[in-house]
Amino acid sequence: MVKLKISKNELIEKLNEAVKEGYNYLVKITAVDYIDHLEVIYFIRNIENKKEENIRLDIKDGERLPTIVNIFKAADFYERELSEMFGIEIEGRKVERLLLEKWDGLEAPLRKKFEWGADYKRD
Amino acid sequence: MLTKINVGPIHPSTHGVLRLVVTLDGDTIVNVEPHIGFLHRGVEKLVENRMYMQSESYMEKVDYAAPMAYSDLYVSAVEEAMGVHIKERAKYVRLILLELQRIASHLLWLGTFCNDLGQMFTMFMWTMKDRDLVMNLLQDATGSRMFYVNMRVGGVSMDLPPDFEEHAKSLLDYLEKRIKDYEAFLEKNPVFIERTKGVGVLSRKDAINLGVTGPVLRASGVNFDVRSAYTYYAYEKLNFMPQIQVKGDVFARYKVRILEMKESIRLIRDALKEMPEGDALGMPIKLISPPIKEKEVIVRRELPRGEGMMYMVTDKQKPYRLSIRAPAFINLSALNHMAQGAKYADLFAILGSLDLVMADVDR
Amino acid sequence: MLIDEGLASILANAILVLLLIIMFDYTFGWLERKTIAKAQFRHGPTYLGPFGFLQNIADVIKLIAKENIVPSNADKLIFSVLPPLFLSFFIFLVYLLPFSNSIGISLSLGLLAVFVLLSFSPLIVFLIGIASGNKFSAISAQRSVIMLLGYEIPLILSIAGVVLYAGSFNIATIVNDQRSAYFIFLMPIAFAVFFISMLAELERPPFDLREADSELIAGWLVDVGAPYYALALFVDYTRMFLGSLLISLLFLGGWLGPSILPPLIWLMIKAFVVAFIIVIIRATTVRMRLDKLLSFGWFWLLPLSVVSIILTFLLFVR
């Protein structure tokens, strides 16, 4: 696991560099919620020589992530899922909900501050 | 004039609950928009509140057509977090059971694929009968037919019974003959060839960019299989070869899966011959406070549908975060690209060739 | 021109043909279910009656007893009137065929009448499909009319050879002219083209696009209520009867055969054999796509039927 921690502004140029080096396959975009910040991880892979790399960056609450859909088309579904599960806003494209419908106004489920059953209203 | 059709959540040909909003221009598809999430159960969040081995049965229900593969993936993540090495015989036992599971999953796929093409259940009945025989064999080895929960840290829960080898050999001979029959039945049928050749083509560059995986990727000419790239268990010793086709259409994906079934049969035969003696039992399932050595773990396995990956951040008793990469999820996202310009009837051929299980897509 | 004049014999003929239709429909329904089940490693109906023979009665009673739901944006008049009209249309067509030298009527332009009226059937399906107010039915309705474009011409041309040989459109004359040799042996190409085009006309697999189970759920029958669904089953079986009768009358010698059995029984045996073959084709084929189907009809069937007419003309009529 080669760790590479960068800042949000370098994301797109770092990914473009990686694509030029041959890392042309996006495996997954995921995030982990460490309570004071969120760590977003991009797993990319070089199909020819089978090497993998993960690019990490830290995000605080309320910051927005740039979209990478123009570099990897596979990022479309992953970004949609990430934004609705963690409440991260993604700029540069229109993001629609993928797995959770009618969840607007409620807390994003995979955050640690999400309370089980808090959104259940009897009506 | 564009019409929008709702191929709704309940439909004979979407395997599970999948809603597609298809925009048609006459009989040609302009846009396909999948709406998913009907089967979302929040597995990634549930796991954060259970101890390590309590979530093994959750993982099986993520893919109900090949449960053992997911449970193997998860238990390998736990093993790597604990720094435990699997016993030698357990590697072969796991390999045999996983390859049997792969044959069963591909047989189910073959039946439902022919259903989508209009076969009216004949092929489905035949392949389900064969799958039933494979499940009987798995029942001898693990005790249950569908949700096995037989993977333990360091090995398996029960070793193979003493008469497993002869039952397996006779079943493999039978399956080999049947798969040849299915191939002949379908490939000499000109209507089948017409419906699948040249339909839903995915070029090599697009396949890599869209991130598809598994037989869909290998049918487009990309030589990537987790069993040979990041090899595990005894695949290296048994000389595993990935099966590649270059055309990238529905027929190529069908052919890749048929060849994979034949390769699995060969692997099981060789593994039965070369299996070392010893014991294959792992630790009991009640692990209250296991000694965790790694902070972050990544494991990859080749599930029947593609490449599955788990990224786990560990805590003392429960996982802090488990991120599952499901192969069917990303294969579905390539549907829009593949269905551009095809006829409406081709949509179901393409959807069938992707081999989706909706629980895998939604988790 | 009736074969036997007299009111009593007209009535007896009419009732006999109706009984034959009912008998064939019922038996064919049972035969189809059992055959497909056996091809798929299952048993099919076994519980009611010997070998499950009475199963269809139970199914029909269940279907008729259900409530008929008409969707709100469907055209009520067409929806209620057309399905029974469809069934009576096909029964009328069966009545136009002779069943032996003494049963049934035999018109001097019988063959022409049957085929002209047969080409109206996709239009009735089209109307029912459009009147359902549902996109799936509309698509299947359009498909049935498009299929009409591909198959009518080879269907009519392939029997032109038969008509040339026999010299008339009268079906009784055509059958009686097969005393020397059945037409299947004299004109095999025409038989093959006619058989395939008839499969398309009857909308049986591999040409069953109209009710493509896996794509359009049930096509034009999606919104049809349960009693009308039973009617639609009968329409399907009666159409099979018509098709197998036509194939056996025109090419397999109709009611001719050694005189150990009465001619009517020979005709029914031949019709059942043809129906059995069609059911076996259903159990094993994959459905064709619409545009491939049309290109098959225009590039293969049409030239073959023209070739068969030319061959018949050169070999037999001169």
Side-chain angles (χ1 to χ4, degrees):
Chain A
M1 257 188 322
V2 179
K3 283 194 191 200
L4 202 62
K5 198 107 175 175
I6 59 173
S7 80
K8 194 173 60 131
N9 308 323
E10 317 173 342
L11 175 66
I12 299 206
E13 47 169 287
K14 216 40 181 198
L15 279 179
N16 278 327
E17 269 177 40
V19 169
K20 281 205 198 52
E21 287 174 23
Y23 288 87
N24 53 2
Y25 184 83
L26 177 71
V27 179
K28 186 153 173 129
I29 308 177
T30 182
V32 189
D33 185 12
Y34 301 108
I35 322 265
D36 51 349
H37 65 272
L38 278 172
E39 185 181 33
V40 179
I41 311 177
Y42 294 79
F43 291 96
I44 51 181
R45 171 185 291 157
N46 185 336
I47 286 269
E48 264 84 46
N49 60 1
K50 325 275 197 264
K51 286 218 197 60
E52 251 195 41
E53 200 178 292
N54 34 358
I55 299 184
R56 301 162 183 242
L57 46 94
D58 283 340
I59 283 201
K60 303 247 186 275
D61 253 345
E63 280 185 24
R64 312 169 80 194
L65 263 188
T67 180
I68 61 168
V69 139
N70 308 317
I71 314 177
F72 296 105
K73 276 191 236 153
D76 178 21
F77 264 34
Y78 289 135
E79 282 181 352
R80 282 167 78 176
E81 190 197 355
L82 190 75
S83 93
E84 70 183 344
M85 290 291 172
F86 282 94
I88 305 177
E89 282 179 23
I90 304 213
E91 63 189 356
R93 59 171 286 201
K94 180 168 168 305
V95 171
E96 288 169 358
R97 290 191 166 277
L98 192 62
L99 291 172
L100 306 169
E101 294 197 3
K102 302 197 169 91
W103 201 267
D104 295 313
L106 301 169
E107 183 67 53
L110 279 179
R111 307 293 297 259
K112 292 292 179 187
K113 60 184 168 167
F114 172 74
E115 266 179 51
W116 288 101
D119 61 309
Y120 173 62
K121 299 182 218 349
R122 282 187 72 101
D123 45 43
Chain B
M1 213 204 54
L2 300 174
T3 42
K4 269 202 184 164
I5 287 199
N6 181 25
V7 180
I10 306 179
H11 187 98
S13 268
T14 60
H15 307 282
V17 274
L18 167 67
R19 178 176 168 222
L20 297 171
V21 179
V22 181
T23 313
L24 287 178
D25 176 17
D27 206 24
T28 319
I29 298 179
V30 170
N31 190 23
V32 176
E33 202 185 298
H35 290 251
I36 57 179
F38 293 97
L39 207 46
H40 176 71
R41 294 155 293 178
V43 160
E44 298 183 357
K45 182 80 180 180
L46 284 173
V47 166
E48 291 177 10
N49 241 340
R50 309 272 182 287
M51 294 191 261
Y52 282 102
M53 287 308 275
Q54 277 182 315
S55 336
E56 184 183 348
S57 105
Y58 280 137
M59 293 297 131
E60 288 203 329
K61 284 145 180 104
V62 172
D63 181 357
Y64 45 71
M68 203 185 285
Y70 255 98
S71 117
D72 167 57
L73 176 62
Y74 178 71
V75 171
S76 310
V78 176
E79 278 167 1
E80 198 162 309
M82 286 169 56
V84 168
H85 288 288
I86 323 179
K87 306 181 185 173
E88 194 58 34
R89 182 177 162 97
K91 286 188 188 171
Y92 283 86
V93 171
R94 278 196 189 181
L95 189 144
I96 291 175
L97 295 175
L98 284 178
E99 291 301 318
L100 277 174
Q101 182 74 93
R102 188 182 308 268
I103 295 178
S105 171
H106 282 328
L107 280 172
L108 173 66
W109 165 79
L110 188 60
T112 52
F113 177 60
C114 288
N115 239 6
D116 292 343
L117 290 180
Q119 247 281 333
M120 301 287 217
F121 298 103
T122 304
M123 226 16 211
F124 181 72
M125 289 288 166
W126 294 346
T127 57
M128 290 307 267
K129 171 181 179 245
D130 297 335
R131 178 183 150 101
D132 212 40
L133 296 172
V134 173
M135 292 215 288
N136 280 345
L137 197 64
L138 284 171
Q139 183 182 20
D140 284 342
T142 64
S144 78
R145 275 164 59 99
M146 193 153 174
F147 292 120
Y148 313 97
V149 196
N150 77 325
M151 299 289 177
R152 304 279 183 266
V153 172
V156 287
S157 69
M158 285 176 24
D159 204 343
L160 299 177
D163 55 354
F164 185 83
E165 193 166 330
E166 40 173 298
H167 285 317
K169 286 208 168 106
S170 70
L171 178 67
L172 289 176
D173 290 335
Y174 170 78
L175 278 178
E176 212 173 16
K177 203 169 63 69
R178 292 291 283 192
I179 294 177
K180 274 208 193 67
D181 282 344
Y182 296 148
E183 250 188 318
F185 178 67
L186 288 174
E187 285 178 28
K188 292 195 184 142
N189 188 343
V191 186
F192 181 80
I193 303 278
E194 244 179 14
R195 274 216 57 186
T196 55
K197 281 216 168 137
V199 168
V201 179
L202 195 61
S203 66
R204 188 174 192 271
K205 212 160 70 65
D206 279 333
I208 298 180
N209 203 356
L210 283 166
V212 294
T213 166
V216 182
L217 185 64
R218 288 197 281 283
S220 294
V222 180
N223 182 0
F224 183 76
D225 189 327
V226 182
R227 291 173 280 179
S228 71
Y230 307 104
T231 192
Y232 54 97
Y233 300 156
Y235 285 105
E236 190 76 40
K237 281 196 209 131
L238 296 174
N239 295 326
F240 168 74
M241 301 282 306
Q243 311 292 327
I244 320 272
Q245 296 275 307
V246 284
K247 284 283 177 59
D249 54 6
V250 168
F251 186 76
R253 287 172 218 140
Y254 148 83
K255 195 72 189 170
V256 164
R257 290 190 179 104
I258 294 270
L259 291 173
E260 273 194 2
M261 274 201 270
K262 293 184 177 169
E263 179 77 8
S264 295
I265 293 179
R266 182 199 61 91
L267 277 173
I268 301 177
R269 284 204 178 114
D270 289 346
L272 281 172
K273 268 198 299 230
E274 301 190 15
M275 196 154 59
E277 299 297 327
D279 105 271
L281 299 180
M283 302 189 191
I285 197 168
K286 264 191 166 171
L287 287 180
I288 307 287
S289 252
I292 302 283
K293 299 204 173 57
E294 307 273 343
K295 188 88 174 48
E296 288 179 349
V297 169
I298 298 183
V299 280
R300 303 167 201 93
R301 290 283 182 263
E302 179 78 17
L303 312 173
R305 274 159 191 80
E307 175 212 347
M309 177 193 88
M310 281 206 184
Y311 167 70
M312 187 156 77
V313 177
T314 60
D315 198 3
K316 256 207 319 202
Q317 288 198 346
K318 327 178 218 176
Y320 186 79
R321 163 96 169 106
L322 177 70
S323 166
I324 309 175
R325 187 224 188 202
F329 183 67
I330 192 64
N331 279 348
L332 177 61
S333 72
L335 180 65
N336 192 8
H337 181 92
M338 282 194 259
Q340 297 283 334
K343 307 273 177 204
Y344 178 63
D346 292 334
L347 177 67
F348 297 96
I350 300 175
L351 197 59
S353 76
L354 290 179
D355 197 4
L356 300 176
V357 165
M358 289 321 285
D360 207 9
V361 175
D362 294 340
R363 273 157 291 137
Chain C
M1 170 195 84
L2 284 173
I3 298 185
D4 265 354
E5 312 273 350
L7 188 58
S9 77
I10 298 175
L11 218 52
N13 265 326
I15 295 180
L16 183 60
V17 173
L18 193 62
L19 283 177
L20 279 176
I21 294 178
I22 295 177
M23 191 267 305
F24 182 90
D25 282 358
Y26 190 79
T27 316
F28 177 70
W30 170 82
L31 181 73
E32 176 169 34
R33 285 171 81 157
K34 278 303 238 194
T35 313
I36 292 200
K38 291 292 184 189
Q40 293 177 356
F41 264 128
R42 315 180 270 130
H43 285 299
T46 53
Y47 189 65
L48 295 174
F51 294 107
F53 195 66
L54 301 178
Q55 179 73 39
N56 272 337
I57 298 184
D59 284 341
V60 167
I61 293 178
K62 175 200 83 156
L63 281 174
I64 293 186
K66 286 197 177 180
E67 179 189 354
N68 184 23
I69 304 178
V70 178
S72 56
N73 58 346
D75 196 324
K76 285 195 181 26
L77 184 64
I78 295 188
F79 231 52
S80 333
V81 166
L82 274 190
L85 198 71
F86 204 22
L87 179 63
S88 43
F89 177 74
F90 278 109
I91 297 183
F92 172 67
L93 280 181
V94 173
Y95 267 101
L96 287 179
L97 303 174
F99 279 78
S100 85
N101 276 323
S102 48
I103 304 179
I105 66 172
S106 157
L107 305 170
S108 55
L109 287 178
L111 199 56
L112 197 59
V114 167
F115 277 104
V116 164
L117 290 175
L118 202 54
S119 27
F120 276 107
S121 75
L123 297 178
I124 303 187
V125 171
F126 181 69
L127 277 177
I128 302 182
I130 297 279
S132 288
N134 177 2
K135 280 188 196 136
F136 286 118
S137 322
I139 290 186
S140 97
Q142 291 163 12
R143 281 185 179 184
S144 75
V145 174
I146 292 179
M147 260 179 56
L148 175 68
L149 288 177
Y151 283 96
E152 283 303 313
I153 303 185
L155 188 68
I156 308 274
L157 282 185
S158 55
I159 58 168
V162 168
V163 171
L164 272 179
Y165 187 97
S168 100
F169 279 107
N170 192 338
I171 303 184
T173 319
I174 293 178
V175 172
N176 286 327
D177 262 357
Q178 295 184 48
R179 273 184 220 283
S180 42
Y182 293 169
F183 286 159
I184 179 177
F185 302 114
L186 297 180
M187 303 177 229
I189 305 180
F191 174 71
V193 173
F194 184 70
F195 190 74
I196 298 178
S197 312
M198 207 63 199
L199 270 183
E201 182 73 43
L202 302 176
E203 266 137 11
R204 299 287 296 181
F207 306 116
D208 64 338
L209 297 155
R210 198 189 59 182
E211 296 153 355
D213 231 13
S214 52
E215 300 160 21
L216 300 170
I217 309 182
W220 66 298
L221 291 174
V222 160
D223 273 336
V224 168
Y228 289 116
Y229 188 74
L231 269 180
L233 282 180
F234 271 116
V235 163
D236 213 12
Y237 297 153
T238 313
R239 210 161 48 157
M240 269 302 293
F241 190 37
L242 182 70
S244 1
L245 272 183
L246 276 173
I247 294 178
S248 359
L249 283 173
L250 293 177
F251 286 94
L252 292 177
W255 56 75
L256 300 173
S259 46
I260 24 171
L261 294 172
L264 181 65
I265 305 289
W266 275 118
L267 182 62
M268 299 308 287
I269 292 179
K270 288 176 192 176
F272 267 108
V273 166
V274 170
F276 184 67
I277 295 177
I278 294 183
V279 167
I280 295 210
I281 294 181
R282 171 180 175 173
T284 52
T285 56
V286 175
R287 185 181 307 126
M288 288 187 85
R289 211 173 70 182
L290 184 62
D291 53 337
K292 306 268 188 203
L293 201 146
L294 284 178
S295 59
F296 177 66
W298 281 88
F299 291 129
W300 280 95
L301 291 184
L302 187 59
L304 277 179
S305 58
V306 171
V307 161
S308 94
I309 295 181
I310 296 179
L311 275 179
T312 314
F313 187 69
L314 292 176
L315 291 175
F316 297 117
V317 177
R318 281 244 233 111

